[in-house]
Amino acid sequence: MDEFLEAAIEEAKKGLSEGGIPIGSVITYKGKIIGRGHNKRIQNGSVVLHGEMDAFENAGRQPANVYKACTLYTTLSPCSMCSGAILLYGIPKVVIGENKTFLGDEALLKSRGVTVEVVSNKVCIDLMESFISKNPELWNEDIGE
Ligand SMILES: [Zn+2]
């Protein structure tokens, strides 16, 4: 498996071990991870720290030319908020662990020229299916339902 998707999965598992939603993300630039994070909505009582947003936050402020050469890896299809951040900063490529348990705004990303790769990784699917079946109300809150 791709080492960067593997790192995003490690983040998702870290989130799960903290009692959170198992979604992780890493942002890479020139073959190195510059930011990594996981969903901290439950842990921090945060309404914005999805895995992707946490990875952006932890990457710190970056110049536009860096964002435009980054790849974002996420274990789950990015929601509207995270897709918005990806578009805002001009991230050109997104690798998605799975979109079976939740289909985010992939169509919007593609329509704006972002390369979207869905790898349908079994570990990513299992993490979410297991979490959703045990915590349906927490998950619905995460996606605004
Ligand atoms: Zn999101």
Side-chain angles (χ1 to χ4, degrees):
M1 194 201 310
D2 186 302
E3 63 174 304
F4 299 128
L5 183 63
E6 190 74 59
I9 290 171
E10 278 171 27
E11 285 291 325
K13 288 179 176 169
K14 196 187 284 182
L16 187 66
S17 74
E18 294 166 357
I21 301 172
I23 305 168
S25 179
V26 301
I27 298 170
T28 66
Y29 174 67
K30 292 190 171 173
K32 286 199 177 120
I33 294 173
I34 60 166
R36 55 193 301 155
H38 53 270
N39 188 303
K40 291 182 177 148
R41 216 169 47 78
I42 295 168
Q43 298 93 312
N44 290 22
S46 169
V47 295
V48 294
L49 284 181
H50 283 187
E52 301 91 325
M53 302 300 282
D54 193 39
F56 271 117
E57 186 78 354
N58 291 332
R61 289 169 58 200
Q62 298 292 335
N65 65 310
V66 169
Y67 288 123
K68 286 176 174 51
C70 283
T71 298
L72 183 144
Y73 292 77
T74 179
T75 56
L76 180 67
S77 187
C79 77
S80 306
M81 174 175 68
C82 299
S83 295
I86 288 162
L87 293 174
L88 175 65
Y89 293 113
I91 304 295
K93 184 176 177 185
V94 178
V95 178
I96 297 169
E98 65 108 348
N99 63 7
K100 184 182 171 208
T101 64
F102 175 75
L103 179 60
D105 269 349
E106 293 174 20
L108 174 67
L109 291 172
K110 287 182 200 162
S111 78
R112 297 273 298 271
V114 177
T115 300
V116 174
E117 195 181 315
V118 181
V119 297
S120 299
N121 178 274
K122 189 172 182 319
V123 178
C124 295
I125 296 170
D126 289 349
L127 277 169
M128 282 308 293
E129 282 185 341
S130 166
F131 183 85
I132 292 168
S133 71
K134 288 177 198 151
N135 311 276
E137 65 299 327
L138 283 176
W139 171 237
N140 285 337
E141 193 184 315
D142 209 60
I143 54 175
E145 285 175 12

